[in-house]
């Protein structure tokens, strides 16, 4: 999508620190890390949020989820992690292209603030 930050990152129009890529998924380091390891896992298809996915995305999202363990290893996570997708106003989503925050490298608090 023309005006989407993450579509531009996926296309290479905006530089990013890539961790993993295949035909469905692009994963790169967050510019403002909230943990020692903070990677954004992004389906290449422009879906705005979890609120906007549909039955036709089941296979794609399944493939994204089953890649998480490999991306965690590539990112250097060795002792567990958290995967988060912020959605909508209360979820504080700021980029409207579906993505999953992969956080690790320290004990993570629960519940989040
Ligand atoms: P959200 O707030 O939508 O859940 O997550 C958006 C994330 O994108 C934030 O953690 C923010 O730091 C990250 N981000 C915003 N702009 C850029 C950018 O240009 N490059 C990278 N690598 N991350 C970005
Ligand atoms: Zn997009």
């Amino acid at each position: 999508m023309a005006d989407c930050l993450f579509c531009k990152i996926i296309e290479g129009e905006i530089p990013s620190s890539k961790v993993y890529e295949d035909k469905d998924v692009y994963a790169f380091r967050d510019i403002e890390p909230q943990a020692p390891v903070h990677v954004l896992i992004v389906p290449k298809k422009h879906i705005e949020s979890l609120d906007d996915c549909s039955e036709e995305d089941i296979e794609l999202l399944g493939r994204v989820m089953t890649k998480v363990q490999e991306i965690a290893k590539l990112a250097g996570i060795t002792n567990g992690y958290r995967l988060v997708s912020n959605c909508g106003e209360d979820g504080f989503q700021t980029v409207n292209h579906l993505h999953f925050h992969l956080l690790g490298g320290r004990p993570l608090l629960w519940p989040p603030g």
Side-chain angles (χ1 to χ4, degrees):
M1 181 172 270
D3 226 21
C4 170
L5 175 65
F6 285 177
C7 282
K8 286 181 183 160
I9 286 177
I10 291 162
E11 291 301 319
E13 281 174 49
I14 294 175
S16 64
S17 173
K18 177 163 87 173
V19 174
Y20 175 84
E21 181 174 17
D22 64 25
K23 69 178 176 45
D24 301 308
V25 187
Y26 190 77
F28 56 101
R29 308 256 175 199
D30 197 292
I31 207 166
E32 253 184 78
Q34 302 300 317
V37 179
H38 187 171
V39 172
L40 299 171
I41 301 177
V42 184
K44 287 185 174 177
K45 178 180 175 185
H46 182 90
I47 302 168
E48 301 244 324
S49 75
L50 283 176
D51 259 359
D52 300 284
C53 57
S54 64
E55 293 228 347
E56 77 178 39
D57 302 313
I58 287 173
E59 205 184 313
L60 170 65
L61 294 180
R63 283 201 294 269
V64 173
M65 288 300 105
T66 52
K67 282 292 169 197
V68 171
Q69 53 183 303
E70 185 179 341
I71 296 167
K73 284 195 191 98
L74 289 170
I77 292 175
T78 56
N79 198 36
Y81 53 82
R82 182 168 298 154
L83 191 73
V84 177
S85 188
N86 298 324
C87 183
E89 210 177 314
D90 280 356
F92 279 89
Q93 182 176 3
T94 59
V95 177
N96 292 326
H97 180 133
L98 177 62
H99 54 281
F100 300 91
H101 296 258
L102 175 66
L103 298 152
R106 66 164 167 83
L108 298 159
L109 300 177
W110 189 263

